[in-house]
């Protein structure tokens, strides 16, 4: 049962290269399957989420993070009667454009590009991957995904001003994305805010006390867990507290979005698109809690002394290799060398680096730098 404001697969704007319908999978299910079978998707397994030198195999990488986002997104989409297939597809593809070494890699790549008057943006890069770089079909380049999936790749997490991004005009930049795409930005946050507390605790960078002092919602949940399970181990109390916090975020996102949709009077996808703001949102109270958790993680985990060395090294490696290939384009794989005839060399070097896994870029550094 789909809500009246959900995306309907039978009304898709379709694919760039028309294809015959599949006998038993709808278009969004096919897109989901194309993404799961893409090489760029498999590479997520070896891309940093938070920890580059993972001292434990239990820490998230970008693939396990992606699976968690898909799980949360499906649950919420079902509750809101949104299109679950489209939502799942958008969740699975949402981080496919991330370079190696997480945000440090992204920052270094963007800085290197700025020296050539260009920039790096992981959503735009994701679109290049699915439209261009994946070579699986004899009939066309890329994965030939439906419009709604390509639109969601671009628009799920931010608005791109139409005057600054004329190359994205076809994605209706003056309109809001469908609710299925709006959802992904916030389920992404639920996933990493809770998972990074978990991994940070497991890494012994964060302690229960530190989190309690910095994240009031976690402190309340932890007090509740302690009361309910006074004899449980510290780790299990921590898990219970994190679960309560997690459920609080998910439940609020469902209920508050439902209320906002109702209050807006929006009754169709067209009205979702033309509504002046995004309708998927946390309530103001929970939004404060979400922000507190995020700020806590920035201050105590992402920019902690423990992760600083990894970050600095990651930025150096990306910067050095970028510079190396700019000076020695003959050392690029031949397929990239030929692309440099039609696009700026910096863009080609950027594409090459952005596609790498952590292991692959480390091997390149050994080979070319030292
Ligand atoms: Mg993500």
């Amino acid at each position: 049962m789909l809500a009246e404001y959900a995306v309907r697969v039978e009304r898709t704007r379709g694919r760039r290269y028309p294809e015959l319908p599949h006998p038993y999978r709808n278009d969004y299910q096919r897109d989901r399957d194309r993404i799961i079978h893409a090489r760029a998707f498999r590479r997520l397994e070896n891309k940093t989420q938070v920890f580059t030198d993972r001292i434990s195999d239990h820490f998230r990488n970008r693939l396990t993070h992606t699976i968690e986002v898909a799980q949360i997104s499906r649950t919420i989409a079902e509750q809101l009667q949104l299109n679950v297939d489209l939502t799942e597809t958008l969740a699975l593809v949402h981080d496919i454009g991330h370079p190696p070494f997480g945000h440090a890699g992204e920052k270094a790549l963007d800085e290197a590009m700025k020296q050539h008057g260009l920039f790096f943006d992981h959503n735009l890069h994701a679109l290049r991957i699915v439209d261009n770089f994946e070579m699986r079909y004899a009939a066309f380049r890329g994965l030939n995904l439906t419009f709604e999936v390509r639109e969601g790749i671009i628009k799920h997490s931010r608005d791109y001003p139409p005057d600054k991004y004329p190359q994205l005009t076809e994605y209706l930049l003056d309109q809001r994305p469908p609710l299925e795409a709006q959802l992904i930005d916030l389920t992404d946050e639920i996933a990493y805010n809770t998972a990074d507390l978990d991994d940070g605790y497991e890494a012994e960078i964060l302690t229960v006390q530190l989190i309690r002092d910095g994240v009031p919602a976690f402190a309340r949940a932890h007090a509740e867990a302690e009361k309910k399970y006074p004899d449980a181990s510290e780790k299990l109390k921590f898990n219970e507290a994190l679960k309560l916090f997690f459920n609080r975020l998910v439940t609020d996102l469902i209920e508050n979005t439902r209320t906002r949709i109702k209050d807006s009077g929006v009754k169709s996808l067209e009205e979702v698109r033309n509504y002046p703001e995004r309708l998927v949102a946390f309530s103001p109270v929970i939004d404060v809690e979400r922000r507190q958790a995020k700020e806590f993680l920035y201050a105590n985990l992402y920019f902690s002394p423990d992760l600083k060395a990894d970050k600095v090294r990651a930025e150096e490696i990306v910067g050095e290799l970028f510079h190396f290939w700019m000076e020695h384009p003959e050392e690029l794989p031949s397929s990239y060398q030929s692309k440099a005839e039609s696009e700026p060399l910096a863009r080609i070097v950027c594409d090459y680096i952005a596609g790498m896994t952590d292991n692959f870029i480390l091997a390149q550094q050994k080979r070319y730098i030292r």
Side-chain angles (χ1 to χ4, degrees), residues 65 94-95 188:
H65 158 74
H94 90 281
D95 268 355
D188 187 22

Side-chain angles (χ1 to χ4, degrees), residues 49 62 65-66 69 94-95 98 122 156 184 188-189 191-192:
Q49 178 68 18
R62 226 161 254 284
H65 158 74
T66 293
V69 175
H94 90 281
D95 268 355
H98 268 284
H122 71 91
H156 72 274
I184 303 303
D188 187 22
E189 274 218 24
Y192 66 68

Side-chain angles (χ1 to χ4, degrees), residues 326-345:
M326 288 304 291
E327 298 291 310
H328 301 281
E330 73 282 1
E331 296 287 349
L332 285 166
S334 56
S335 58
Y336 283 86
Q337 289 183 36
S338 54
K339 277 189 204 163
E341 288 159 20
S342 51
E343 284 187 280
L345 179 61

Side-chain angles (χ1 to χ4, degrees), residues 188-200:
D188 187 22
E189 274 218 24
I190 294 176
Y192 66 68
N193 278 335
T194 52
D196 296 347
L197 288 175
D198 192 24
D199 288 349

Side-chain angles (χ1 to χ4, degrees), residues 8 11 90 107 202 259 279 299-300 322 354 357 369-370:
R8 289 183 152 64
R11 289 192 212 147
L90 291 175
K107 186 176 152 226
E202 195 76 5
T259 306
L279 284 163
N300 297 282
F322 193 99
T357 60
I369 309 294
R370 52 184 160 260

